[in-house]
Amino acid sequence: MSSIILLGIKHCGKSTQGKMLAKHSDCPFFDTDDEIELLTGKSPRQIYTEQGKEAFLKAEKEACEKLAEKLGAEQKAVIATGGGICNNPAALEALHKIGKFVFLNADEKTAANRIVWEIKYDSDGTMKNLPAYIANKNPKNVQEVRAIFHDFYEERQKIYKDLCDVEVKLEHSASKSENMKKILTALVKFCIMNYAL
């Protein structure tokens, strides 16, 4: 099978599962956020904050194009994407040429909890270390963070479902290894159905 490209909302487990899948498949692992930093010298969050959305989308597109060019259609890899790549058609197009999109569908509560766990507070109580789409709405407390995330989650679920070749529902109560087995099973089924084995 061609490369496996993991899509999903922030904190759904793309990097964790991606590294495990790459090790299991004996192939390299890449994270598009890391590729952006290698290309620009800045983290995606820095680019977004300092230069704005358009600059970030451009950097993401260029990083994905370079990665796709490096791998080509022959070299198999596992690639974890940033949570917002679903709104970057050019970046998606570059990656889809070399692999299949796998949507890691994590439940809302798990993803929200991971965002809440990463919150840091200034001395005046201001929340820091939030994803830009939440921080931009200036939430005053954790309840508001969860409410903003809920609307975002619902919107993104529809987009990911439309984009993906394979959808895998990750189980909150399952171990990382059990969830990896679910992904592998879904990929095998996809290959059989599409005569790609």
Side-chain angles (χ1 to χ4, degrees), residues 149-179:
F149 179 76
H150 171 75
D151 293 341
F152 182 82
Y153 179 87
E154 292 292 317
E155 175 193 322
R156 282 282 168 93
Q157 288 291 98
K158 293 172 188 164
I159 298 171
Y160 292 127
K161 283 175 183 283
D162 287 342
L163 282 173
C164 72
D165 299 297
V166 180
E167 179 182 349
V168 184
K169 180 77 176 166
L170 300 183
E171 298 297 332
H172 167 60
S173 58
S175 69
K176 291 172 186 174
S177 295
E178 287 169 334
N179 274 325

PDB file of all heavy atoms in Angstrom, residues 149-179:
ATOM      1  N   PHE A 149     -14.722  24.361  21.787  1.00  0.00           N
ATOM      2  CA  PHE A 149     -14.217  23.138  21.157  1.00  0.00           C
ATOM      3  C   PHE A 149     -15.357  22.294  20.591  1.00  0.00           C
ATOM      4  O   PHE A 149     -15.221  21.698  19.525  1.00  0.00           O
ATOM      5  CB  PHE A 149     -13.403  22.314  22.165  1.00  0.00           C
ATOM      6  CG  PHE A 149     -12.870  21.037  21.577  1.00  0.00           C
ATOM      7  CD1 PHE A 149     -11.782  21.054  20.726  1.00  0.00           C
ATOM      8  CD2 PHE A 149     -13.476  19.821  21.848  1.00  0.00           C
ATOM      9  CE1 PHE A 149     -11.299  19.887  20.161  1.00  0.00           C
ATOM     10  CE2 PHE A 149     -13.008  18.646  21.292  1.00  0.00           C
ATOM     11  CZ  PHE A 149     -11.908  18.685  20.443  1.00  0.00           C
ATOM     12  N   HIS A 150     -16.471  22.238  21.290  1.00  0.00           N
ATOM     13  CA  HIS A 150     -17.611  21.429  20.838  1.00  0.00           C
ATOM     14  C   HIS A 150     -18.058  21.833  19.432  1.00  0.00           C
ATOM     15  O   HIS A 150     -18.221  20.979  18.547  1.00  0.00           O
ATOM     16  CB  HIS A 150     -18.788  21.557  21.807  1.00  0.00           C
ATOM     17  CG  HIS A 150     -20.044  20.923  21.286  1.00  0.00           C
ATOM     18  ND1 HIS A 150     -20.222  19.554  21.263  1.00  0.00           N
ATOM     19  CD2 HIS A 150     -21.157  21.464  20.723  1.00  0.00           C
ATOM     20  CE1 HIS A 150     -21.405  19.285  20.709  1.00  0.00           C
ATOM     21  NE2 HIS A 150     -21.980  20.419  20.380  1.00  0.00           N
ATOM     22  N   ASP A 151     -18.260  23.136  19.223  1.00  0.00           N
ATOM     23  CA  ASP A 151     -18.704  23.623  17.910  1.00  0.00           C
ATOM     24  C   ASP A 151     -17.665  23.303  16.837  1.00  0.00           C
ATOM     25  O   ASP A 151     -17.996  22.880  15.726  1.00  0.00           O
ATOM     26  CB  ASP A 151     -18.948  25.134  17.950  1.00  0.00           C
ATOM     27  CG  ASP A 151     -20.135  25.495  18.837  1.00  0.00           C
ATOM     28  OD1 ASP A 151     -20.970  24.608  19.111  1.00  0.00           O
ATOM     29  OD2 ASP A 151     -20.223  26.662  19.258  1.00  0.00           O
ATOM     30  N   PHE A 152     -16.410  23.492  17.203  1.00  0.00           N
ATOM     31  CA  PHE A 152     -15.302  23.231  16.284  1.00  0.00           C
ATOM     32  C   PHE A 152     -15.236  21.742  15.928  1.00  0.00           C
ATOM     33  O   PHE A 152     -15.071  21.368  14.767  1.00  0.00           O
ATOM     34  CB  PHE A 152     -14.007  23.686  16.957  1.00  0.00           C
ATOM     35  CG  PHE A 152     -12.783  23.537  16.120  1.00  0.00           C
ATOM     36  CD1 PHE A 152     -12.449  24.487  15.169  1.00  0.00           C
ATOM     37  CD2 PHE A 152     -11.947  22.448  16.285  1.00  0.00           C
ATOM     38  CE1 PHE A 152     -11.305  24.349  14.391  1.00  0.00           C
ATOM     39  CE2 PHE A 152     -10.805  22.302  15.514  1.00  0.00           C
ATOM     40  CZ  PHE A 152     -10.485  23.263  14.574  1.00  0.00           C
ATOM     41  N   TYR A 153     -15.380  20.916  16.937  1.00  0.00           N
ATOM     42  CA  TYR A 153     -15.330  19.457  16.759  1.00  0.00           C
ATOM     43  C   TYR A 153     -16.414  18.984  15.789  1.00  0.00           C
ATOM     44  O   TYR A 153     -16.147  18.212  14.866  1.00  0.00           O
ATOM     45  CB  TYR A 153     -15.501  18.780  18.123  1.00  0.00           C
ATOM     46  CG  TYR A 153     -15.505  17.272  18.093  1.00  0.00           C
ATOM     47  CD1 TYR A 153     -14.310  16.553  18.156  1.00  0.00           C
ATOM     48  CD2 TYR A 153     -16.698  16.559  18.024  1.00  0.00           C
ATOM     49  CE1 TYR A 153     -14.313  15.166  18.146  1.00  0.00           C
ATOM     50  CE2 TYR A 153     -16.711  15.176  18.008  1.00  0.00           C
ATOM     51  CZ  TYR A 153     -15.521  14.492  18.068  1.00  0.00           C
ATOM     52  OH  TYR A 153     -15.522  13.105  18.054  1.00  0.00           O
ATOM     53  N   GLU A 154     -17.628  19.470  15.982  1.00  0.00           N
ATOM     54  CA  GLU A 154     -18.747  19.067  15.119  1.00  0.00           C
ATOM     55  C   GLU A 154     -18.479  19.456  13.667  1.00  0.00           C
ATOM     56  O   GLU A 154     -18.739  18.675  12.745  1.00  0.00           O
ATOM     57  CB  GLU A 154     -20.044  19.737  15.597  1.00  0.00           C
ATOM     58  CG  GLU A 154     -20.543  19.242  16.947  1.00  0.00           C
ATOM     59  CD  GLU A 154     -21.030  17.801  16.883  1.00  0.00           C
ATOM     60  OE1 GLU A 154     -21.715  17.459  15.913  1.00  0.00           O
ATOM     61  OE2 GLU A 154     -20.691  17.016  17.780  1.00  0.00           O
ATOM     62  N   GLU A 155     -17.968  20.645  13.471  1.00  0.00           N
ATOM     63  CA  GLU A 155     -17.670  21.139  12.117  1.00  0.00           C
ATOM     64  C   GLU A 155     -16.570  20.311  11.453  1.00  0.00           C
ATOM     65  O   GLU A 155     -16.681  19.896  10.296  1.00  0.00           O
ATOM     66  CB  GLU A 155     -17.249  22.608  12.212  1.00  0.00           C
ATOM     67  CG  GLU A 155     -16.793  23.215  10.901  1.00  0.00           C
ATOM     68  CD  GLU A 155     -16.101  24.562  11.122  1.00  0.00           C
ATOM     69  OE1 GLU A 155     -16.551  25.319  12.005  1.00  0.00           O
ATOM     70  OE2 GLU A 155     -15.117  24.825  10.425  1.00  0.00           O
ATOM     71  N   ARG A 156     -15.508  20.046  12.212  1.00  0.00           N
ATOM     72  CA  ARG A 156     -14.371  19.318  11.664  1.00  0.00           C
ATOM     73  C   ARG A 156     -14.715  17.852  11.361  1.00  0.00           C
ATOM     74  O   ARG A 156     -14.211  17.278  10.406  1.00  0.00           O
ATOM     75  CB  ARG A 156     -13.186  19.379  12.641  1.00  0.00           C
ATOM     76  CG  ARG A 156     -12.440  20.700  12.618  1.00  0.00           C
ATOM     77  CD  ARG A 156     -11.521  20.779  11.408  1.00  0.00           C
ATOM     78  NE  ARG A 156     -10.983  22.099  11.175  1.00  0.00           N
ATOM     79  CZ  ARG A 156      -9.816  22.526  11.640  1.00  0.00           C
ATOM     80  NH1 ARG A 156      -9.085  21.746  12.417  1.00  0.00           N
ATOM     81  NH2 ARG A 156      -9.389  23.735  11.323  1.00  0.00           N
ATOM     82  N   GLN A 157     -15.558  17.244  12.198  1.00  0.00           N
ATOM     83  CA  GLN A 157     -15.939  15.839  11.965  1.00  0.00           C
ATOM     84  C   GLN A 157     -16.485  15.657  10.556  1.00  0.00           C
ATOM     85  O   GLN A 157     -16.128  14.716   9.855  1.00  0.00           O
ATOM     86  CB  GLN A 157     -17.005  15.398  12.980  1.00  0.00           C
ATOM     87  CG  GLN A 157     -16.509  15.201  14.397  1.00  0.00           C
ATOM     88  CD  GLN A 157     -15.596  13.999  14.523  1.00  0.00           C
ATOM     89  OE1 GLN A 157     -14.377  14.134  14.521  1.00  0.00           O
ATOM     90  NE2 GLN A 157     -16.171  12.824  14.632  1.00  0.00           N
ATOM     91  N   LYS A 158     -17.358  16.557  10.148  1.00  0.00           N
ATOM     92  CA  LYS A 158     -17.975  16.452   8.816  1.00  0.00           C
ATOM     93  C   LYS A 158     -16.921  16.569   7.724  1.00  0.00           C
ATOM     94  O   LYS A 158     -16.945  15.834   6.734  1.00  0.00           O
ATOM     95  CB  LYS A 158     -19.033  17.553   8.645  1.00  0.00           C
ATOM     96  CG  LYS A 158     -20.240  17.381   9.558  1.00  0.00           C
ATOM     97  CD  LYS A 158     -21.145  18.599   9.479  1.00  0.00           C
ATOM     98  CE  LYS A 158     -22.242  18.505  10.550  1.00  0.00           C
ATOM     99  NZ  LYS A 158     -22.906  19.780  10.766  1.00  0.00           N
ATOM    100  N   ILE A 159     -15.985  17.494   7.903  1.00  0.00           N
ATOM    101  CA  ILE A 159     -14.952  17.708   6.885  1.00  0.00           C
ATOM    102  C   ILE A 159     -14.064  16.471   6.756  1.00  0.00           C
ATOM    103  O   ILE A 159     -13.796  15.997   5.648  1.00  0.00           O
ATOM    104  CB  ILE A 159     -14.099  18.953   7.217  1.00  0.00           C
ATOM    105  CG1 ILE A 159     -14.971  20.211   7.231  1.00  0.00           C
ATOM    106  CG2 ILE A 159     -12.957  19.112   6.220  1.00  0.00           C
ATOM    107  CD1 ILE A 159     -14.263  21.452   7.751  1.00  0.00           C
ATOM    108  N   TYR A 160     -13.578  15.954   7.894  1.00  0.00           N
ATOM    109  CA  TYR A 160     -12.694  14.789   7.862  1.00  0.00           C
ATOM    110  C   TYR A 160     -13.375  13.577   7.227  1.00  0.00           C
ATOM    111  O   TYR A 160     -12.765  12.833   6.459  1.00  0.00           O
ATOM    112  CB  TYR A 160     -12.231  14.408   9.270  1.00  0.00           C
ATOM    113  CG  TYR A 160     -11.316  15.402   9.929  1.00  0.00           C
ATOM    114  CD1 TYR A 160     -11.600  15.904  11.188  1.00  0.00           C
ATOM    115  CD2 TYR A 160     -10.145  15.846   9.308  1.00  0.00           C
ATOM    116  CE1 TYR A 160     -10.769  16.818  11.814  1.00  0.00           C
ATOM    117  CE2 TYR A 160      -9.317  16.752   9.926  1.00  0.00           C
ATOM    118  CZ  TYR A 160      -9.628  17.241  11.174  1.00  0.00           C
ATOM    119  OH  TYR A 160      -8.804  18.135  11.783  1.00  0.00           O
ATOM    120  N   LYS A 161     -14.646  13.371   7.555  1.00  0.00           N
ATOM    121  CA  LYS A 161     -15.388  12.228   7.005  1.00  0.00           C
ATOM    122  C   LYS A 161     -15.473  12.321   5.481  1.00  0.00           C
ATOM    123  O   LYS A 161     -15.395  11.318   4.778  1.00  0.00           O
ATOM    124  CB  LYS A 161     -16.789  12.152   7.617  1.00  0.00           C
ATOM    125  CG  LYS A 161     -16.813  11.594   9.034  1.00  0.00           C
ATOM    126  CD  LYS A 161     -18.224  11.672   9.629  1.00  0.00           C
ATOM    127  CE  LYS A 161     -18.257  11.197  11.072  1.00  0.00           C
ATOM    128  NZ  LYS A 161     -18.218   9.744  11.183  1.00  0.00           N
ATOM    129  N   ASP A 162     -15.657  13.535   4.969  1.00  0.00           N
ATOM    130  CA  ASP A 162     -15.740  13.724   3.525  1.00  0.00           C
ATOM    131  C   ASP A 162     -14.390  13.526   2.831  1.00  0.00           C
ATOM    132  O   ASP A 162     -14.329  13.081   1.691  1.00  0.00           O
ATOM    133  CB  ASP A 162     -16.263  15.127   3.194  1.00  0.00           C
ATOM    134  CG  ASP A 162     -17.756  15.275   3.484  1.00  0.00           C
ATOM    135  OD1 ASP A 162     -18.438  14.236   3.606  1.00  0.00           O
ATOM    136  OD2 ASP A 162     -18.227  16.417   3.605  1.00  0.00           O
ATOM    137  N   LEU A 163     -13.309  13.868   3.530  1.00  0.00           N
ATOM    138  CA  LEU A 163     -11.975  13.818   2.933  1.00  0.00           C
ATOM    139  C   LEU A 163     -11.352  12.421   2.918  1.00  0.00           C
ATOM    140  O   LEU A 163     -10.600  12.088   2.001  1.00  0.00           O
ATOM    141  CB  LEU A 163     -11.012  14.718   3.721  1.00  0.00           C
ATOM    142  CG  LEU A 163     -11.055  16.221   3.493  1.00  0.00           C
ATOM    143  CD1 LEU A 163     -10.150  16.911   4.501  1.00  0.00           C
ATOM    144  CD2 LEU A 163     -10.605  16.547   2.076  1.00  0.00           C
ATOM    145  N   CYS A 164     -11.651  11.619   3.906  1.00  0.00           N
ATOM    146  CA  CYS A 164     -10.852  10.416   4.147  1.00  0.00           C
ATOM    147  C   CYS A 164     -11.165   9.268   3.193  1.00  0.00           C
ATOM    148  O   CYS A 164     -12.262   9.155   2.649  1.00  0.00           O
ATOM    149  CB  CYS A 164     -11.006   9.952   5.595  1.00  0.00           C
ATOM    150  SG  CYS A 164     -12.618   9.229   5.979  1.00  0.00           S
ATOM    151  N   ASP A 165     -10.156   8.417   3.012  1.00  0.00           N
ATOM    152  CA  ASP A 165     -10.328   7.151   2.314  1.00  0.00           C
ATOM    153  C   ASP A 165     -10.768   6.069   3.298  1.00  0.00           C
ATOM    154  O   ASP A 165     -11.522   5.162   2.947  1.00  0.00           O
ATOM    155  CB  ASP A 165      -9.007   6.732   1.659  1.00  0.00           C
ATOM    156  CG  ASP A 165      -8.529   7.756   0.637  1.00  0.00           C
ATOM    157  OD1 ASP A 165      -9.235   7.957  -0.365  1.00  0.00           O
ATOM    158  OD2 ASP A 165      -7.460   8.361   0.848  1.00  0.00           O
ATOM    159  N   VAL A 166     -10.264   6.178   4.532  1.00  0.00           N
ATOM    160  CA  VAL A 166     -10.552   5.207   5.587  1.00  0.00           C
ATOM    161  C   VAL A 166     -10.840   5.967   6.880  1.00  0.00           C
ATOM    162  O   VAL A 166     -10.115   6.902   7.217  1.00  0.00           O
ATOM    163  CB  VAL A 166      -9.340   4.265   5.830  1.00  0.00           C
ATOM    164  CG1 VAL A 166      -9.638   3.250   6.930  1.00  0.00           C
ATOM    165  CG2 VAL A 166      -8.924   3.559   4.552  1.00  0.00           C
ATOM    166  N   GLU A 167     -11.886   5.570   7.588  1.00  0.00           N
ATOM    167  CA  GLU A 167     -12.194   6.164   8.901  1.00  0.00           C
ATOM    168  C   GLU A 167     -12.034   5.101   9.978  1.00  0.00           C
ATOM    169  O   GLU A 167     -12.502   3.975   9.817  1.00  0.00           O
ATOM    170  CB  GLU A 167     -13.622   6.702   8.927  1.00  0.00           C
ATOM    171  CG  GLU A 167     -14.015   7.302  10.272  1.00  0.00           C
ATOM    172  CD  GLU A 167     -15.455   7.788  10.323  1.00  0.00           C
ATOM    173  OE1 GLU A 167     -16.115   7.851   9.261  1.00  0.00           O
ATOM    174  OE2 GLU A 167     -15.927   8.103  11.434  1.00  0.00           O
ATOM    175  N   VAL A 168     -11.359   5.464  11.057  1.00  0.00           N
ATOM    176  CA  VAL A 168     -11.168   4.533  12.173  1.00  0.00           C
ATOM    177  C   VAL A 168     -11.636   5.210  13.456  1.00  0.00           C
ATOM    178  O   VAL A 168     -11.108   6.256  13.842  1.00  0.00           O
ATOM    179  CB  VAL A 168      -9.688   4.114  12.332  1.00  0.00           C
ATOM    180  CG1 VAL A 168      -9.559   3.070  13.442  1.00  0.00           C
ATOM    181  CG2 VAL A 168      -9.132   3.584  11.023  1.00  0.00           C
ATOM    182  N   LYS A 169     -12.612   4.616  14.096  1.00  0.00           N
ATOM    183  CA  LYS A 169     -13.129   5.142  15.365  1.00  0.00           C
ATOM    184  C   LYS A 169     -12.228   4.643  16.487  1.00  0.00           C
ATOM    185  O   LYS A 169     -12.173   3.449  16.768  1.00  0.00           O
ATOM    186  CB  LYS A 169     -14.572   4.667  15.570  1.00  0.00           C
ATOM    187  CG  LYS A 169     -15.213   5.151  16.851  1.00  0.00           C
ATOM    188  CD  LYS A 169     -15.630   6.596  16.753  1.00  0.00           C
ATOM    189  CE  LYS A 169     -16.376   7.020  18.031  1.00  0.00           C
ATOM    190  NZ  LYS A 169     -16.497   8.478  18.111  1.00  0.00           N
ATOM    191  N   LEU A 170     -11.479   5.553  17.100  1.00  0.00           N
ATOM    192  CA  LEU A 170     -10.590   5.167  18.190  1.00  0.00           C
ATOM    193  C   LEU A 170     -11.387   5.044  19.484  1.00  0.00           C
ATOM    194  O   LEU A 170     -12.258   5.866  19.760  1.00  0.00           O
ATOM    195  CB  LEU A 170      -9.476   6.191  18.359  1.00  0.00           C
ATOM    196  CG  LEU A 170      -8.562   6.403  17.143  1.00  0.00           C
ATOM    197  CD1 LEU A 170      -7.454   7.388  17.493  1.00  0.00           C
ATOM    198  CD2 LEU A 170      -7.964   5.094  16.666  1.00  0.00           C
ATOM    199  N   GLU A 171     -11.058   4.035  20.261  1.00  0.00           N
ATOM    200  CA  GLU A 171     -11.763   3.791  21.522  1.00  0.00           C
ATOM    201  C   GLU A 171     -11.014   4.430  22.676  1.00  0.00           C
ATOM    202  O   GLU A 171      -9.826   4.142  22.888  1.00  0.00           O
ATOM    203  CB  GLU A 171     -11.909   2.284  21.764  1.00  0.00           C
ATOM    204  CG  GLU A 171     -12.726   1.554  20.714  1.00  0.00           C
ATOM    205  CD  GLU A 171     -14.169   2.029  20.654  1.00  0.00           C
ATOM    206  OE1 GLU A 171     -14.684   2.491  21.698  1.00  0.00           O
ATOM    207  OE2 GLU A 171     -14.771   1.943  19.574  1.00  0.00           O
ATOM    208  N   HIS A 172     -11.705   5.287  23.417  1.00  0.00           N
ATOM    209  CA  HIS A 172     -11.105   5.968  24.566  1.00  0.00           C
ATOM    210  C   HIS A 172     -10.586   4.968  25.600  1.00  0.00           C
ATOM    211  O   HIS A 172      -9.543   5.156  26.209  1.00  0.00           O
ATOM    212  CB  HIS A 172     -12.148   6.901  25.190  1.00  0.00           C
ATOM    213  CG  HIS A 172     -11.779   7.420  26.543  1.00  0.00           C
ATOM    214  ND1 HIS A 172     -10.649   8.179  26.760  1.00  0.00           N
ATOM    215  CD2 HIS A 172     -12.369   7.272  27.759  1.00  0.00           C
ATOM    216  CE1 HIS A 172     -10.574   8.487  28.049  1.00  0.00           C
ATOM    217  NE2 HIS A 172     -11.598   7.950  28.664  1.00  0.00           N
ATOM    218  N   SER A 173     -11.326   3.881  25.797  1.00  0.00           N
ATOM    219  CA  SER A 173     -10.975   2.909  26.837  1.00  0.00           C
ATOM    220  C   SER A 173      -9.921   1.900  26.379  1.00  0.00           C
ATOM    221  O   SER A 173      -9.385   1.144  27.180  1.00  0.00           O
ATOM    222  CB  SER A 173     -12.233   2.152  27.286  1.00  0.00           C
ATOM    223  OG  SER A 173     -12.831   1.513  26.176  1.00  0.00           O
ATOM    224  N   ALA A 174      -9.605   1.902  25.080  1.00  0.00           N
ATOM    225  CA  ALA A 174      -8.649   0.926  24.553  1.00  0.00           C
ATOM    226  C   ALA A 174      -7.215   1.398  24.751  1.00  0.00           C
ATOM    227  O   ALA A 174      -6.945   2.595  24.889  1.00  0.00           O
ATOM    228  CB  ALA A 174      -8.921   0.693  23.071  1.00  0.00           C
ATOM    229  N   SER A 175      -6.288   0.444  24.746  1.00  0.00           N
ATOM    230  CA  SER A 175      -4.870   0.795  24.830  1.00  0.00           C
ATOM    231  C   SER A 175      -4.396   1.326  23.471  1.00  0.00           C
ATOM    232  O   SER A 175      -5.070   1.161  22.454  1.00  0.00           O
ATOM    233  CB  SER A 175      -4.043  -0.437  25.207  1.00  0.00           C
ATOM    234  OG  SER A 175      -4.048  -1.361  24.128  1.00  0.00           O
ATOM    235  N   LYS A 176      -3.222   1.946  23.469  1.00  0.00           N
ATOM    236  CA  LYS A 176      -2.655   2.444  22.215  1.00  0.00           C
ATOM    237  C   LYS A 176      -2.451   1.302  21.226  1.00  0.00           C
ATOM    238  O   LYS A 176      -2.699   1.452  20.028  1.00  0.00           O
ATOM    239  CB  LYS A 176      -1.329   3.164  22.490  1.00  0.00           C
ATOM    240  CG  LYS A 176      -1.501   4.471  23.255  1.00  0.00           C
ATOM    241  CD  LYS A 176      -0.160   5.044  23.663  1.00  0.00           C
ATOM    242  CE  LYS A 176      -0.361   6.276  24.543  1.00  0.00           C
ATOM    243  NZ  LYS A 176       0.916   6.770  25.083  1.00  0.00           N
ATOM    244  N   SER A 177      -2.005   0.164  21.724  1.00  0.00           N
ATOM    245  CA  SER A 177      -1.781  -0.999  20.851  1.00  0.00           C
ATOM    246  C   SER A 177      -3.090  -1.514  20.270  1.00  0.00           C
ATOM    247  O   SER A 177      -3.147  -1.884  19.091  1.00  0.00           O
ATOM    248  CB  SER A 177      -1.096  -2.129  21.634  1.00  0.00           C
ATOM    249  OG  SER A 177       0.194  -1.734  22.028  1.00  0.00           O
ATOM    250  N   GLU A 178      -4.130  -1.528  21.077  1.00  0.00           N
ATOM    251  CA  GLU A 178      -5.436  -1.982  20.583  1.00  0.00           C
ATOM    252  C   GLU A 178      -5.966  -1.050  19.503  1.00  0.00           C
ATOM    253  O   GLU A 178      -6.511  -1.498  18.493  1.00  0.00           O
ATOM    254  CB  GLU A 178      -6.433  -2.080  21.741  1.00  0.00           C
ATOM    255  CG  GLU A 178      -6.170  -3.254  22.666  1.00  0.00           C
ATOM    256  CD  GLU A 178      -6.979  -3.197  23.954  1.00  0.00           C
ATOM    257  OE1 GLU A 178      -7.363  -2.085  24.387  1.00  0.00           O
ATOM    258  OE2 GLU A 178      -7.217  -4.265  24.534  1.00  0.00           O
ATOM    259  N   ASN A 179      -5.777   0.252  19.705  1.00  0.00           N
ATOM    260  CA  ASN A 179      -6.221   1.205  18.684  1.00  0.00           C
ATOM    261  C   ASN A 179      -5.389   1.065  17.406  1.00  0.00           C
ATOM    262  O   ASN A 179      -5.921   1.192  16.299  1.00  0.00           O
ATOM    263  CB  ASN A 179      -6.162   2.635  19.213  1.00  0.00           C
ATOM    264  CG  ASN A 179      -7.424   3.024  19.971  1.00  0.00           C
ATOM    265  OD1 ASN A 179      -8.524   2.608  19.624  1.00  0.00           O
ATOM    266  ND2 ASN A 179      -7.274   3.816  21.016  1.00  0.00           N
TER     267      ASN A 179
END
